[in-house]
Amino acid sequence: MDKLAYTALNAVNERRVARQMLTNEMANVSTTGFERSYEVAMQAVKTEGKGYDTRISPQMLAQDRIQLSPGPLIVTGNPLDITMKEQGVLGVQAPDGVTAFTRRGDLRVNTQGVLENGQGHAVLSDAGAPISVPPGFALNITETGQLLARDPNAPAPQVEVPVAQLMLRDASETTLVRREDGLFEAFIDGARQPGDFPTGPVPTELVSGALEGSNVNPISAMVKLIDAERSFESSIKFIKEAKGIDESGAQLLRV
């Protein structure tokens, strides 16, 4: 049988994943459009190898799947701030040039006239190309994701001209996972699928003039963090007790 100290130390090491997940959630409580993805649970696994067949070790089971539950709605009044309804996602251009997706909808026009979000990712049209906006034009986004522009200096009546259709996808039937840059990509048939994916059956609609807050519950995350710290302290106590028991047994053998 493995020594108690080794089993307790293994439990401490396995809980490292849970601590990292909770720390990441706490750090993104106020991040616009942040979606939870990690779920962890401790399980008992039979240890193979030399020794008794009853050797059991703790092992952390982790799952990384984007949870598209809606966060709180933050009304801003900015016509370029959008929130995706249901489980819709917005297509953007990742730093490596690949199409990826996000729920962050704080849009703006950069100095090059390209529409981007607050993280600097270029927003893509339904055709998969970055959207260029005419300089000096006022913009508006419809509920269906159509980008409209009008010249505020033109005489009345001013007419809004369609510029592009935002790349919106329904992910209600598609599993999404997080990329290293924080964006989303599809996970189909047990493998990551970079780029675009087929939209689901639910029409993707927007709410203009509002942003989606993080869907992390700060109270729940804090309670889990406290529970993780107490579990860590209990494991350390087990290790100290095991050390005391081992020293007592060694002393009896010497006598």
Side-chain angles (χ1 to χ4, degrees):
M1 184 177 68
D2 292 336
K3 290 186 178 181
L4 176 60
Y6 297 153
T7 304
L9 180 60
N10 189 24
V12 172
N13 291 332
E14 288 296 323
R15 287 193 178 95
R16 179 185 67 254
V17 178
R19 292 195 297 271
Q20 292 174 348
M21 177 270 296
L22 290 171
T23 302
N24 180 59
E25 289 188 359
M26 290 297 296
N28 289 280
V29 166
S30 59
T31 301
T32 302
F34 178 81
E35 305 294 319
R36 296 182 64 247
S37 61
Y38 287 106
E39 290 292 345
V40 294
M42 189 73 75
Q43 62 178 351
V45 178
K46 182 179 179 181
T47 304
E48 302 292 342
K50 295 181 180 180
Y52 295 101
D53 293 335
T54 57
R55 298 165 66 208
I56 301 295
S57 296
Q59 184 177 0
M60 187 67 72
L61 178 64
Q63 178 175 306
D64 181 13
R65 300 290 184 270
I66 302 298
Q67 302 176 21
L68 293 176
S69 56
L73 193 66
I74 305 172
V75 178
T76 63
N78 186 348
L80 290 183
D81 287 342
I82 58 174
T83 298
M84 276 65 71
K85 295 182 179 179
E86 302 297 335
Q87 299 189 38
V89 289
L90 175 66
V92 296
Q93 189 176 60
D96 57 0
V98 178
T99 299
F101 295 88
T102 183
R103 291 274 290 188
R104 183 160 184 167
D106 50 344
L107 308 186
R108 64 193 180 191
V109 180
N110 62 18
T111 55
Q112 286 77 35
V114 177
L115 188 67
E116 63 180 17
N117 67 0
Q119 289 181 304
H121 301 134
V123 178
L124 299 179
S125 67
D126 199 54
I131 299 175
S132 297
V133 178
F137 274 56
L139 303 177
N140 184 31
I141 301 176
T142 66
E143 188 179 28
T144 58
Q146 189 177 38
L147 181 65
L148 305 176
R150 62 178 177 84
D151 187 0
N153 299 320
Q158 296 180 357
V159 180
E160 291 184 321
V161 179
V163 175
Q165 171 66 39
L166 303 184
M167 178 183 284
L168 299 174
R169 298 292 183 265
D170 169 45
S172 59
E173 296 185 355
T174 303
T175 301
L176 299 180
V177 294
R178 198 180 306 277
R179 294 162 41 101
E180 293 183 356
D181 52 20
L183 299 174
F184 310 153
E185 64 183 3
F187 188 82
I188 303 174
D189 296 332
R192 291 175 175 264
Q193 300 291 337
D196 197 4
F197 64 89
T199 186
V202 181
T204 305
E205 297 181 347
L206 305 176
V207 176
S208 182
L211 294 175
E212 179 188 17
S214 172
N215 68 352
V216 176
N217 188 323
I219 297 177
S220 176
M222 182 62 69
V223 171
K224 290 181 180 180
L225 188 61
I226 294 174
D227 182 67
E229 291 298 326
R230 290 179 176 176
S231 298
F232 175 78
E233 293 175 358
S234 298
S235 298
I236 296 300
K237 289 181 180 178
F238 271 119
I239 295 175
K240 292 181 179 179
E241 290 295 329
K243 177 182 178 183
I245 294 173
D246 186 66
E247 291 177 348
S248 298
Q251 186 176 4
L252 287 175
L253 290 176
R254 285 197 298 269
V255 173

